[in-house]
Amino acid sequence: MATGDHSTDYSKCPAIHAELNALLRADYTQIQGGTLYVTGAVCANCAKVVMGSGVARVVYRVNDGEDYRNPDAVNAKLEASGLKVIGWREA
């Protein structure tokens, strides 16, 4: 069972999420215009970093029970910044 922060703004989240960790370690020149693949909805905090990273597209897996991440609002913010956002659900 997940015990982490389930607030929509992630203000109390103690974790560095995988997408943030990947972007921190990436060569900035190599990710420009690229695609970030994520296993779940991007949280509001990670969205800020994704928007400034230079990637052009985010592909994420749609998972049941992630409404607390407010994916519609976060995706709208990502798209408003010029990123293409694609959600996919496993069959």
Side-chain angles (χ1 to χ4, degrees):
M1 174 186 282
T3 59
D5 179 25
H6 285 170
S7 64
T8 56
D9 69 353
Y10 276 72
S11 59
K12 297 177 186 172
C13 183
I16 295 177
H17 296 168
E19 58 269 45
L20 177 56
N21 204 19
L23 291 171
L24 287 171
R25 288 172 164 60
D27 179 344
Y28 180 79
T29 63
Q30 297 296 309
I31 63 173
Q32 300 308 293
T35 300
L36 178 67
Y37 293 92
V38 189
T39 60
V42 177
C43 78
N45 284 339
C46 289
K48 296 174 195 175
V49 177
V50 171
M51 288 186 289
S53 70
V55 299
R57 184 171 72 153
V58 175
V59 177
Y60 74 100
R61 183 173 59 205
V62 177
N63 298 306
D64 293 332
E66 287 190 330
D67 291 342
Y68 67 92
R69 288 189 173 203
N70 203 3
D72 293 336
V74 172
N75 291 346
K77 186 184 295 189
L78 290 168
E79 289 173 341
S81 75
L83 277 86
K84 182 171 185 169
V85 179
I86 301 168
W88 59 274
R89 182 179 292 274
E90 289 191 43

